[in-house]
Amino acid sequence: MQINPLSDVLGAEVIGIDVGNLDEVTFDKVHEAFLEHHVLVFRDQNLPPERQVAFAQRFGELDVHIQKDNKHSGHEAIQVLSNKKVNGEYIGSPSAGDAWHSDLSYTDIPTLCTMLYAMEIPEVGGDTEWSNMYRAYDTLSEEMKQRLDGLHARHTFNRFRNPRVEVPEIYKGIGKERYADIAPPDAVHPLVRTHPETGRKALYLSERFTIGIEELEEEEGQALMDELIAHQKQRDFIYRHKWSLHDLTIWDNRCLIHLACGGVPEGQIRHMHRVIVRGDKPY
Ligand code: OGA
Ligand code: MN
């Protein structure tokens, strides 16, 4: 097994292993590399759904997504991200992750890690970016760190309540009320969270899901969020991944935010299988 860093800030590719067939010792090394690099890219994996699910289960209990329409027909735990259409209908979610976020931060128990497997990739577009939230926290001024200490942010799935994101046409169609129905209750989390395995502090907010700061007046909270959101998207905190066919990526949502960059031209297909592992309550 060879581990090659993909950038100065996060990410490593793991060469020479089959994730469907790892002994305990090798898995421990993979897990260590996951904590160190936050995103791992395994090349050339052969992963039918049951093998992807089995590998994900080694990291913890699997979770299901609230958007049930993206579920793989044969495998509950697999979600399909795809711009493929059958009989005029998308067979998976075509636009998941189109604004910076950390998975399921709008729930009480957000995602530990997400695993995405590239079954079909376009020639152009479809990249994924991750930004390092340890780095974002560490580079704040001492004064800002003190200011954030003890603050909590409100997270929601509901795009209609978040002026920082667009409401795609398909959701405008189902309307505000229906959308509010499928959105779970808001979650409130510390603005700076402590990673339960490394003990390091990470900035924990995002454009997509965070709508306010509990302890501050509206205007002051929004101004602080604007400042932190600009900070967390600095290019030198970010690694951009151009997918190769049969890449499996796994990333740590407790210390990263990520973005689906889009830009796949009409007629090209991006088709991924996704599994998420349940984390614990941020503190
Ligand atoms: C996700 C996600 C980004 C992408 O699966 O949680 O945000 O590039 N995906 O598909
Ligand atoms: Mn995501």
Side-chain angles (χ1 to χ4, degrees):
M1 174 168 75
Q2 206 183 317
I3 296 170
N4 307 322
L6 288 163
S7 76
D8 291 339
V9 70
L10 65 96
E13 64 173 356
V14 184
I15 311 282
I17 63 166
D18 169 8
V19 301
N21 191 15
L22 292 184
D23 60 35
E24 280 301 316
V25 174
T26 314
F27 179 74
D28 287 348
K29 285 192 188 139
V30 165
H31 188 250
E32 221 171 275
F34 166 71
L35 293 178
E36 185 181 341
H37 299 285
H38 329 311
V39 178
L40 296 180
V41 180
F42 302 90
R43 306 289 191 181
D44 292 320
Q45 297 299 306
N46 168 23
L47 285 178
E50 57 281 3
R51 276 162 73 94
Q52 185 176 353
V53 166
F55 181 52
Q57 280 170 333
R58 298 183 78 165
F59 287 83
E61 184 196 340
L62 303 191
D63 213 338
V64 289
H65 201 271
I66 56 170
Q67 277 168 314
K68 310 244 184 296
D69 47 340
N70 301 332
K71 256 191 217 145
H72 189 284
S73 51
H75 297 267
E76 267 260 303
I78 299 233
Q79 293 137 38
V80 180
L81 307 190
S82 184
N83 61 346
K84 214 182 270 193
K85 283 183 176 172
V86 172
N87 299 329
E89 302 247 344
Y90 284 116
I91 60 166
S93 172
S95 62
D98 62 351
W100 283 102
H101 65 286
S102 175
D103 288 333
L104 271 65
S105 75
Y106 53 85
T107 68
D108 278 345
I109 312 287
T111 305
L112 188 161
C113 61
T114 305
M115 249 179 220
L116 210 54
Y117 178 53
M119 316 261 302
E120 287 176 65
I121 54 163
E123 256 164 57
V124 175
D127 296 355
T128 303
E129 288 186 342
W130 293 269
S131 184
N132 186 331
M133 292 301 102
Y134 288 138
R135 192 69 68 96
Y137 179 75
D138 291 343
T139 53
L140 294 171
S141 66
E142 281 313 310
E143 192 188 351
M144 182 59 99
K145 286 180 184 164
Q146 271 171 27
R147 188 170 169 211
L148 302 189
D149 191 28
L151 295 184
H152 296 79
R154 177 170 293 266
H155 298 241
T156 184
F157 183 73
N158 192 341
R159 288 178 187 258
F160 287 94
R161 288 172 51 212
N162 184 353
R164 288 187 179 83
V165 295
E166 306 240 322
V167 179
E169 286 306 320
I170 44 167
Y171 295 129
K172 283 186 188 147
I174 67 171
K176 238 184 200 169
E177 289 72 23
R178 249 296 314 281
Y179 197 84
D181 283 350
I182 60 167
D186 294 353
V188 171
H189 298 302
L191 194 48
V192 176
R193 70 179 291 188
T194 303
H195 193 292
E197 293 184 87
T198 66
R200 293 180 64 189
K201 287 183 174 177
L203 194 57
Y204 195 57
L205 84 161
S206 73
E207 219 159 19
R208 169 65 186 86
F209 295 131
T210 311
I211 55 168
I213 303 204
E214 294 295 278
E215 291 83 359
L216 302 181
E217 293 299 330
E218 182 62 12
E219 206 174 312
E220 189 187 356
Q222 295 303 329
L224 177 59
M225 282 179 59
D226 283 342
E227 192 176 341
L228 294 174
I229 285 170
H231 175 72
Q232 73 181 167
K233 296 191 293 187
Q234 272 181 66
R235 288 318 301 180
D236 49 342
F237 302 159
I238 295 174
Y239 164 67
R240 184 179 183 114
H241 189 60
K242 170 121 192 80
W243 291 82
S244 296
L245 188 63
H246 299 150
D247 277 353
L248 174 76
T249 64
I250 168 171
W251 67 85
D252 192 339
N253 285 287
R254 301 166 296 184
C255 58
L256 300 174
I257 54 172
H258 61 281
L259 174 72
C261 301
V264 178
E266 191 67 40
Q268 295 196 21
I269 298 296
R270 183 186 198 258
H271 187 84
M272 325 284 268
H273 277 178
R274 176 182 192 265
V275 176
I276 51 176
V277 174
R278 203 173 149 79
D280 36 31
K281 195 170 165 55
Y283 57 89

